[in-house]
């Protein structure tokens, strides 16, 4: 019976996905954070297949040395920078990718935008301390939302913004700009104008070589002192150290982040957590019951296909 391990399931949330545990042909085991779960080493050494929760788990030489029996890696969603595909091919380990939904990430993005503009979380926290009406937030209506990239998630965010009477403008690749124009959205005349005129900038690009460090200190310092930078995509989209420097300079004046350079963050003294002008959430953009159901159903079906002999969906060829 093949052993399928789900590493870095911080909440052991996959135990609640019934579809994973209804197949007698497979043994499914979920692990917490690999650096903290005492069962990790033993189970990885026996694993025939892995289901990865997005890009949480780095698959490199160090990891694969602990999983000598591994035959298959099934990624939830699209494969990204976390998996060394060439190394897996050399080891004879097949890699497959699944499908997901943009809804959960788009909804969290919108939640962070409204929370930041309205200063909702500080108001609630101060109320718990016995204070009343300490923050002076604002409405989103009439403001301009700037979206970097224009894929499935950002298209939903644009619709939410329009429903709340925001102006929406887009910057990114030529393809993203063309798509935005076709849908009647604003595409500014320059990158500089995009950052200067946006009241909120939200990032929605995939992290690839071309987009790594794509958002620079120069971009950020062109933003308004009243503006908000929202990142629910990947921290690597922003030039290393640029956001902290820009926040110190006061442009933008606030940031709302769901992604970080090193995750998970266990240190309560982390510099971003200590900033009054930053709202942090623990990378929960896609961590919802409905989203997990979709991702893991797809990932497990890919495992069934592979072990039944169908290898047509393997993306690292010649395994």
């Amino acid at each position: 019976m093949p052993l399928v391990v789900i590493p870095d399931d911080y909440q052991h949330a996959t135990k609640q996905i019934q579809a994973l545990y209804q197949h007698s042909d497979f043994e499914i085991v979920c692990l917490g954070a690999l650096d903290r779960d005492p069962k990790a080493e033993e189970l990885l050494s026996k694993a025939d297949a892995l289901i990865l929760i997005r890009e949480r788990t780095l698959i490199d030489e160090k990891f694969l040395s602990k999983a000598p029996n591994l035959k298959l890696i099934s990624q939830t969603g699209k494969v990204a920078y976390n998996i060394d595909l060439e190394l897996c091919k050399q080891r004879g380990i097949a890699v497959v990718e699944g499908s997901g939904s943009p809804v959960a990430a788009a909804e969290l993005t919108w939640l962070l935008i409204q929370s930041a503009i309205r200063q909702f979380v500080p108001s609630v926290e101060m109320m718990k301390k016995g204070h009343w009406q300490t923050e002076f937030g604002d409405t989103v209506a009439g403001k301009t939302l700037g979206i970097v990239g224009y894929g499935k998630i950002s298209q939903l965010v644009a619709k939410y913004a329009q429903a709340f009477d925001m102006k929406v403008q887009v910057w990114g690749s030529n393809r993203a700009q063309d798509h935005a124009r076709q849908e009647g959205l604003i595409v500014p005349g320059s990158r500089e104008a995009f950052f200067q005129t946006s009241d909120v900038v939200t990032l929605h690009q995939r992290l690839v070589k071309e987009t790594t460090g794509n958002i620079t200190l120069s971009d950020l310092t062109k933003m308004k002192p009243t503006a908000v930078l929202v990142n629910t995509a990947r921290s690597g989209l922003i030039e290393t150290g640029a956001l902290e420097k820009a926040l110190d300079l006061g442009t933008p004046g606030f940031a709302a982040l769901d992604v970080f350079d090193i995750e998970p963050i266990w240190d309560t003294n982390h510099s971003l957590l200590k900033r009054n002008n930053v709202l942090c959430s623990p990378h929960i953009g896609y961590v919802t019951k409905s989203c997990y159901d979709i991702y893991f159903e797809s990932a497990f079906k890919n495992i069934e296909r592979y072990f039944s002999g169908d290898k047509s969906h393997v993306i690292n060829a010649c395994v």
Side-chain angles (χ1 to χ4, degrees):
M1 179 185 296
L3 171 63
V4 180
V5 174
I6 305 172
D8 287 324
D9 181 359
Y10 307 138
Q11 302 166 276
H12 290 253
T14 54
K15 285 186 175 180
Q16 302 175 42
I17 301 175
Q18 294 182 359
L20 290 175
Y21 300 92
Q22 293 176 344
H23 301 269
S24 58
D25 293 338
F26 296 88
E27 180 183 1
I28 311 291
V29 178
C30 73
L31 294 171
L34 289 181
D35 60 346
R36 294 190 167 203
D37 195 314
K39 299 178 182 178
E41 187 172 341
E42 177 188 356
L43 288 171
L44 286 178
S45 70
K46 300 176 181 178
D48 296 288
L50 302 177
I51 297 180
L52 301 187
I53 303 177
R54 298 288 299 200
E55 293 107 39
R56 282 186 192 179
T57 309
L58 180 63
I59 306 300
D60 56 8
E61 180 71 42
K62 181 179 179 181
F63 182 96
L64 292 179
S65 67
K66 300 176 183 177
N69 199 44
L70 195 61
K71 303 172 184 67
L72 175 67
I73 297 173
S74 182
Q75 173 79 62
T76 56
K78 299 299 181 182
V79 168
Y81 57 90
N82 62 308
I83 301 177
D84 188 330
L85 291 174
E86 183 60 31
L87 180 60
C88 287
K89 185 169 73 171
Q90 293 172 12
R91 296 287 187 92
I93 300 167
V95 179
V96 296
E97 59 184 10
S99 59
S101 166
V103 172
E107 287 188 0
L108 180 74
T109 300
W110 187 246
L111 173 64
L112 292 179
I113 289 170
Q114 284 210 288
S115 295
I117 295 291
R118 199 62 178 264
Q119 287 293 288
F120 178 73
V121 173
S123 295
V124 172
E125 291 303 314
M126 292 304 289
M127 185 178 175
K128 291 178 181 179
K129 296 177 182 179
H131 302 284
W132 191 256
Q133 293 189 1
T134 58
E135 310 304 316
F136 197 49
D138 206 350
T139 58
V140 297
K143 289 182 170 55
T144 298
L145 175 66
I147 302 175
V148 179
Y150 198 59
K152 293 179 180 179
I153 295 173
S154 47
Q155 289 167 36
L156 281 179
V157 174
K159 291 178 181 178
Y160 302 160
Q162 290 172 315
F164 279 77
D165 200 26
M166 291 188 83
K167 301 172 186 176
V168 180
Q169 59 186 19
V170 172
W171 195 255
S173 66
N174 290 335
R175 181 179 178 182
Q177 293 182 39
D178 289 343
H179 191 180
R181 288 191 189 96
Q182 290 170 11
E183 296 198 349
L185 302 181
I186 302 165
V187 177
S190 68
R191 184 183 183 95
E192 182 179 48
F194 171 83
F195 283 97
Q196 287 176 335
T197 57
S198 296
D199 295 295
V200 179
V201 170
T202 180
L203 309 183
H204 296 287
Q205 292 178 310
R206 291 190 69 188
L207 185 62
V208 294
K209 183 179 179 180
E210 293 75 18
T211 61
T212 300
N214 178 52
I215 307 302
T216 66
L217 179 62
S218 177
D219 292 327
L220 296 174
T221 53
K222 289 180 174 65
M223 294 176 69
K224 303 174 185 179
T226 55
V228 178
L229 186 284
V230 179
N231 191 2
T232 59
R234 295 292 177 265
S235 65
L237 295 172
I238 303 174
E239 178 186 5
T240 303
L243 179 58
E244 291 85 345
K245 291 177 183 177
L247 289 168
D248 287 340
L249 294 170
T251 53
F254 199 89
L257 309 173
D258 188 50
V259 289
F260 307 91
D261 291 340
I262 298 175
E263 298 180 5
I265 294 175
W266 304 112
D267 182 8
T268 56
N269 291 312
H270 190 285
S271 61
L272 288 171
L273 299 180
K274 292 296 184 179
R275 288 178 177 266
N276 292 328
N277 59 348
V278 179
L279 172 61
C280 298
S281 58
H283 204 156
I284 54 173
Y286 56 90
V287 183
T288 66
K289 184 181 184 305
S290 57
C291 190
Y292 266 38
D293 285 344
I294 294 169
Y295 274 112
F296 282 93
E297 181 179 0
S298 172
F300 189 73
K301 283 182 178 178
N302 281 334
I303 287 178
E304 289 183 301
R305 284 177 61 187
Y306 182 85
F307 282 100
S308 69
D310 179 0
K311 298 178 174 58
S312 61
H313 53 321
V314 173
I315 65 170
N316 55 336
C318 302
V319 172

